[in-house]
Amino acid sequence: MKIKVDGKPPAPSYTVTVRRGALSDIGRIVGQRPTGKLIVLTNTTVQKLWFGRLRRILAAAGRKSTPIVINDGERYKTRQTYQKIIARLIDLGADRQSILITLGGGVVGDLGGFVAATYLRGIDLVHIPTTLVAQIDSSIGGKTAIDLPRAKNMLGSFYNPRQVLIDPELLSTLPDEALSDGLFEAIKTGLVCNKNLFAYIVDHLDEIRQQRPSALDRVVRGTVHEKAKVVSVDPFDRNRRAILNFGHTLGHALETAAGYRKISHGVAVGWGMLAALELSHLLGYGERRVVERAAEPIRDLLERKRFPQTEVDQLWQTIKLDKKVQGGKVRFVLLKAIGRPVIDFVDRRTVFKALERIRK
């Protein structure tokens, strides 16, 4: 499957390829520019698993590649890591003809995108995402960012890649917990975009978690298709695209409160979605039966995990830094029905009430 993601000036359009074996396409893509250095940004985990194969494909296309390897984990998506990558690019003599290839999950993609957007005021970027979160969400849409101690993704830009290669085979080395992280994002997309996608995930959740190709690939294709539609309409996140932040307002606050260490992105978003569903009911948008049906697969993935031990007041202060805040008022993505999101302002008292319900 190939999807064209439309850009709005000055952002160019680009192609997302979804196919088992799509990694092999990288030789053809870089062959379109025979000059310039190829730099591969990856992390310590993915380097051992997939960089060797990527390097061999590039070598077969007559191109030499140089890796830049960073530590694995959200806590390394920082200004310090960004500065080290920039310094390494300078040492390598990377110029405007160079191509930066990201090989990794959301941290590598977000960091690499921000590096590509700012190094020499912009160099070409190709994403090869290796986690489910990155394949169905963070690699699509041109969002780049690094985290600050007070809030996640506070420093960044919109910068579209030249290509995104999504190869479900790269998920074969993914631990179960990391696969579940991606499924939270898939559920989110189904809840706000497509009730049929959500229903498929619910009906085939065990098969997807077992990585049966027919089920997993269908979820990847369906989720990518929905996200591409949304970002093509609203590439700079000014209106419609905000619905994709369902569960992320609280989720990002939980990650920040934990110092980007004690809770994964997917689990944080899972708790965030449960809170948003309770808010939907409290504010009169979602009927209880809708809330319960939407919450069922989220609770299945959370299994026996407990809500993080975090001061609610601290969470509220972090939530107030969310990018959807307007005029000091906090907006949440809520749900009228599956596939029918709505955005509304929510006060502190109502948020606290929703948190009390999901923490029981």
Side-chain angles (χ1 to χ4, degrees), residues 71-357:
N71 291 323
D72 188 4
E74 184 75 31
R75 64 184 181 274
Y76 299 108
K77 201 172 88 176
T78 63
R79 288 174 293 178
Q80 291 77 17
T81 306
Y82 165 80
Q83 290 167 348
K84 289 178 181 178
I85 298 169
I86 294 293
R88 182 63 178 142
L89 288 173
I90 294 171
D91 291 342
L92 292 171
D95 58 21
R96 283 186 170 175
Q97 295 302 306
S98 300
I99 300 175
L100 182 67
I101 301 170
T102 67
L103 180 71
V107 171
V108 169
D110 285 359
L111 259 171
F114 192 51
V115 167
T118 53
Y119 183 72
L120 299 178
R121 297 193 176 99
I123 61 174
D124 278 349
L125 173 69
V126 176
H127 285 312
I128 305 177
T130 61
T131 67
L132 187 56
V133 170
Q135 289 195 355
I136 66 176
D137 188 61
S138 60
S139 67
I140 304 161
K143 283 187 176 180
T144 78
I146 57 178
D147 299 333
L148 299 182
R150 291 181 60 193
K152 182 172 175 171
N153 294 337
M154 287 297 283
L155 190 61
S157 66
F158 289 93
Y159 191 75
N160 284 351
R162 280 182 58 192
Q163 297 266 347
V164 180
L165 295 180
I166 296 176
D167 186 345
E169 288 182 4
L170 299 181
L171 304 178
S172 62
T173 55
L174 206 59
D176 291 343
E177 288 286 322
L179 186 73
S180 292
D181 276 349
L183 284 173
F184 285 112
E185 290 287 358
I187 289 168
K188 173 210 73 177
T189 303
L191 284 174
V192 299
C193 293
N194 190 317
K195 64 181 181 181
N196 293 327
L197 173 62
F198 174 77
Y200 183 85
I201 294 170
V202 171
D203 292 342
H204 298 82
L205 191 58
D206 288 341
E207 297 170 53
I208 300 164
R209 297 179 79 175
Q210 294 165 12
Q211 290 213 36
R212 294 188 184 176
S214 59
L216 180 60
D217 292 9
R218 179 167 172 176
V219 170
V220 172
R221 290 194 304 269
T223 312
V224 168
H225 179 71
E226 294 299 329
K227 177 149 192 185
K229 285 197 302 184
V230 174
V231 301
S232 290
V233 171
D234 182 21
F236 299 113
D237 204 4
R238 290 173 179 154
N239 42 72
R240 175 68 179 173
R241 187 169 175 173
I243 66 172
L244 296 175
N245 286 317
F246 181 69
H248 286 61
T249 301
L250 174 62
H252 283 176
L254 289 171
E255 289 183 83
T256 302
Y260 309 111
R261 291 173 181 266
K262 298 178 182 179
I263 186 170
S264 70
H265 175 70
V267 169
V269 168
W271 286 114
M273 287 191 288
L274 290 182
L277 289 169
E278 286 297 336
L279 288 171
S280 302
H281 182 62
L282 287 169
L283 294 174
Y285 287 114
E287 297 179 8
R288 175 51 61 183
R289 62 179 180 81
V290 173
V291 168
E292 290 303 318
R293 170 146 174 83
E296 181 182 346
I298 301 170
R299 292 197 182 105
D300 284 348
L301 289 176
L302 287 172
E303 295 174 322
R304 291 179 293 277
K305 292 182 175 64
R306 297 182 65 85
F307 190 86
Q309 292 185 341
T310 305
E311 291 292 331
V312 177
D313 283 322
Q314 180 187 358
L315 285 176
W316 179 251
Q317 292 305 315
T318 305
I319 286 171
K320 287 170 65 177
L321 298 175
D322 187 85
K323 291 177 286 297
K324 290 182 295 304
V325 170
Q326 288 187 352
K329 296 181 179 180
V330 178
R331 297 189 304 160
F332 273 78
V333 183
L334 308 171
L335 214 62
K336 288 183 177 181
I338 295 172
R340 293 181 59 199
V342 61
I343 300 175
D344 201 356
F345 295 104
V346 184
D347 60 32
R348 178 178 179 274
R349 179 182 176 185
T350 310
V351 170
F352 282 19
K353 189 172 182 179
L355 290 177
E356 286 178 7
R357 291 190 177 186

Side-chain angles (χ1 to χ4, degrees), residues 1-3 15-19 166 220-225:
M1 183 179 78
K2 287 191 176 184
I3 299 174
T15 300
V16 179
T17 299
V18 185
R19 177 175 59 82
I166 296 176
V220 172
R221 290 194 304 269
T223 312
V224 168
H225 179 71

